[in-house]
Amino acid sequence: MKRRGYPIPVWILILLLCGSGFDLAHAKGRLLATGGASQLEGAAGGGLVPWAVLAGYGTRDEQGGTAFVTRIESGDYNLNSFGAAYTFNNRVEFSLARNEFALGTLGRALGLSGAVIRQDVFGVKYRLAGDLLYSELPQLAVGVQHKRNRDFAVPHSVGARDDTGTDFYLGASKLVLAGWYGRHVLLHAGVRASRANEIGILGFGGDRNDAYQALFEGSVGILLNRQLMVAAEYRQKPENLSFTREDDWADAFVAFFPNKRLALIAAYADLGTVASLPGQRAWYVSMQLSY
Amino acid sequence: MVATAQVRRSSPTYLVLLLVLLLQGITACATQPQRDDWLYQSLGGQVGIERLVNRFLHRVADDERIVHYFYGIDISRLEQKFAEYLAMVAGGPEPYLGEQPGFVHRGYHITEAAFNAVVEDLLDAMAELGIPLAARNELIARLAPLQPHILGTDP
């Protein structure tokens, strides 16, 4: 089943983006790198894991957000992701992302050369308490990611139950200042409730398991200087489909923040078995603009 | 950095590794030297700190985001008191005889963005003077807990 046209939240985000383009008072009151990168599903975070920080550089008195584009290539598959996020008063973040997963090798094996599975993700993240830098406790946030798989034929044929699903997550992030040999250290841990198969690319729920599961995700990063962070991430995943195993994801990345407009991220990710093809290791590059 | 062994859902290796890293980070933070004067020495002692405050105030004077907060302020007194305060924070021998930062900033309605602008000017001044990164980070780490008091958002 294909859905045509964008829903209303998309147009709201586009309007906000355009509005910000004319706004010379670019939100930039927070310190460099504290908005993180844009993770695959569009929320502020690392590459794979959403952090408790909100997109952009706006303080409690400012509005602002990000736009991003990400490309992942494993040799067998590739994934394009792009989207935008907008944060109000460093309190609530709205995000939108499109994932386009090219079936590649698997597609050719199935006689579906050039097949692509698309997914839209609508996200909201709410900062409950704390500040990444300035509070004793970590910054705490809860989030929702509502996902709509737009090309459900393949997921359906391999046992996925639904073409839409909603993830819920709770995360805590803390920048430990001068925490490790005089370098600032980012710590993040979160838990996610999800039924998504390969983050939703392969649909939601399945013949092996159809219930929500609690999944761990976390990141550790070190700021080598004000502009450069190296980090590693881990994201646990469910295993709902009997046709393939699904592995947890891990990556290591370098993020470069030359200024409060731009962030560039390069990662190497271990995605394990993805849709029956084992040993998927992928390069990941991402660019984020803040406004 | 490169991810190593293939991830298996059944194996908690990554989880354990991550937890170990988390604990190490926290332990490193907790065992940071606190009473000695290494930071004071890294900043160049009293003379170095006075030079730092001077460079910092020059940056503030050119910083349109925050300079208005300083109109009508006795800058030479501020310069002296801020240097005294930083010396005390850095573990120097001289006592700080001024008022508490929260009290001094009361009524100025300092925004989060203004506070961060000051942090950036201080970081830039330290970089300009060639102060090592670990010392810059440590000074910021020691000043950061002031933020809620300066903003007047402390309970």
Side-chain angles (χ1 to χ4, degrees):
Chain A
M1 187 176 76
K2 290 193 177 175
R3 294 187 175 80
R4 298 209 168 272
Y6 283 110
I8 288 166
V10 182
W11 293 112
I12 294 174
L13 268 171
I14 289 169
L15 283 173
L16 287 170
L17 266 169
C18 296
S20 304
F22 298 110
D23 183 6
L24 297 173
H26 153 227
K28 53 193 171 189
R30 268 155 59 207
L31 292 173
L32 191 61
T34 58
S38 297
Q39 56 93 233
L40 273 184
E41 292 137 308
L48 306 177
V49 177
W51 294 342
V53 303
L54 305 190
Y57 286 107
T59 65
R60 69 191 70 170
D61 311 304
E62 298 171 329
Q63 333 294 339
T66 54
F68 77 100
V69 54
T70 296
R71 168 95 176 169
I72 304 179
E73 271 185 44
S74 76
D76 287 322
Y77 300 116
N78 67 65
L79 177 77
N80 289 328
S81 182
F82 53 91
Y86 200 86
T87 300
F88 293 90
N89 300 89
N90 199 21
R91 178 57 71 181
V92 59
E93 167 197 291
F94 294 93
S95 63
L96 178 77
R98 161 66 66 84
N99 300 145
E100 292 181 350
F101 179 76
L103 284 169
T105 304
L106 181 69
R108 284 190 291 281
L110 296 173
L112 295 166
S113 261
V116 172
I117 298 176
R118 297 165 301 163
Q119 166 173 265
D120 292 328
V121 185
F122 306 92
V124 181
K125 192 195 295 182
Y126 182 82
R127 184 173 64 84
L128 291 173
D131 184 280
L132 181 70
L133 278 80
Y134 295 125
S135 64
E136 219 167 304
L137 290 171
Q139 182 161 328
L140 293 173
V142 286
V144 173
Q145 290 178 331
H146 178 66
K147 304 174 178 186
R148 305 178 85 83
N149 191 305
R150 297 166 68 96
D151 299 289
F152 191 58
V154 171
H156 182 66
S157 70
V158 297
R161 291 287 159 81
D162 296 311
D163 64 349
T164 66
T166 306
D167 289 0
F168 304 89
Y169 62 92
L170 168 68
S173 302
K174 176 79 187 150
L175 193 68
V176 182
L177 296 171
W180 191 74
Y181 292 101
R183 265 58 177 178
H184 305 320
V185 176
L186 177 101
L187 302 175
H188 173 82
V191 62
R192 173 187 296 261
S194 176
R195 292 172 63 235
N197 312 319
E198 301 295 2
I199 73 168
I201 300 293
L202 292 183
F204 305 86
D207 50 352
R208 186 190 294 188
N209 174 60
D210 199 34
Y212 271 99
Q213 283 179 57
L215 305 160
F216 169 83
E217 46 197 32
S219 313
V220 177
I222 295 168
L223 277 163
L224 298 180
N225 58 41
R226 281 164 83 178
Q227 298 180 312
L228 203 59
M229 172 183 268
V230 293
E233 298 178 284
Y234 187 87
R235 177 164 169 176
Q236 208 177 16
K237 312 225 322 306
E239 215 163 12
N240 298 332
L241 301 172
S242 54
F243 107 99
T244 177
R245 63 178 294 148
E246 176 170 347
D247 287 315
D248 296 352
W249 283 356
D251 77 351
F253 71 78
V254 179
F256 176 50
F257 302 89
N259 54 51
K260 290 183 188 175
R261 289 282 185 191
L262 178 67
L264 300 169
I265 296 92
Y268 188 68
D270 184 346
L271 309 177
T273 296
V274 175
S276 79
L277 300 184
Q280 297 299 312
R281 305 210 173 156
W283 289 102
Y284 173 119
V285 288
S286 182
M287 182 176 78
Q288 181 204 62
L289 301 172
S290 298
Y291 51 89
Chain B
M1 287 175 77
V2 169
T4 52
Q6 178 163 336
V7 186
R8 292 276 175 243
R9 194 171 115 69
S10 50
S11 126
T13 319
Y14 272 93
L15 278 174
V16 171
L17 185 69
L18 194 70
L19 283 173
V20 167
L21 283 170
L22 283 167
L23 286 172
Q24 273 184 349
I26 291 158
T27 318
C29 159
T31 56
Q32 208 51 238
Q34 272 160 7
R35 29 125 232 108
D36 65 340
D37 67 347
W38 75 269
L39 179 58
Y40 181 74
Q41 299 303 341
S42 299
L43 295 174
Q46 195 59 40
V47 172
I49 289 172
E50 280 168 12
R51 188 184 305 134
L52 169 62
V53 169
N54 184 269
R55 291 316 307 156
F56 162 70
L57 287 174
H58 274 90
R59 287 182 178 273
V60 169
D62 289 337
D63 191 337
E64 61 189 20
R65 297 173 297 177
I66 50 175
V67 67
H68 59 272
Y69 286 105
F70 295 85
Y71 294 157
I73 299 244
D74 180 349
I75 295 294
S76 59
R77 181 182 145 80
L78 169 68
E79 188 165 4
Q80 183 198 334
K81 287 294 163 194
F82 190 44
E84 273 178 25
Y85 187 79
L86 287 186
M88 185 268 293
V89 164
E94 302 86 351
Y96 171 64
L97 299 173
E99 271 127 8
Q100 286 311 300
F103 179 80
V104 174
H105 293 85
R106 192 176 290 171
Y108 282 93
H109 305 293
I110 292 164
T111 63
E112 199 183 341
F115 184 90
N116 286 336
V118 164
V119 170
E120 287 170 354
D121 289 341
L122 189 57
L123 284 170
D124 288 341
M126 286 192 281
E128 179 193 331
L129 293 173
I131 292 166
L133 180 63
R136 287 182 251 160
N137 285 349
E138 179 62 25
L139 183 61
I140 295 303
R142 294 188 192 186
L143 294 175
L146 291 176
Q147 193 251 26
H149 304 284
I150 305 285
L151 267 55
T153 54
D154 52 314

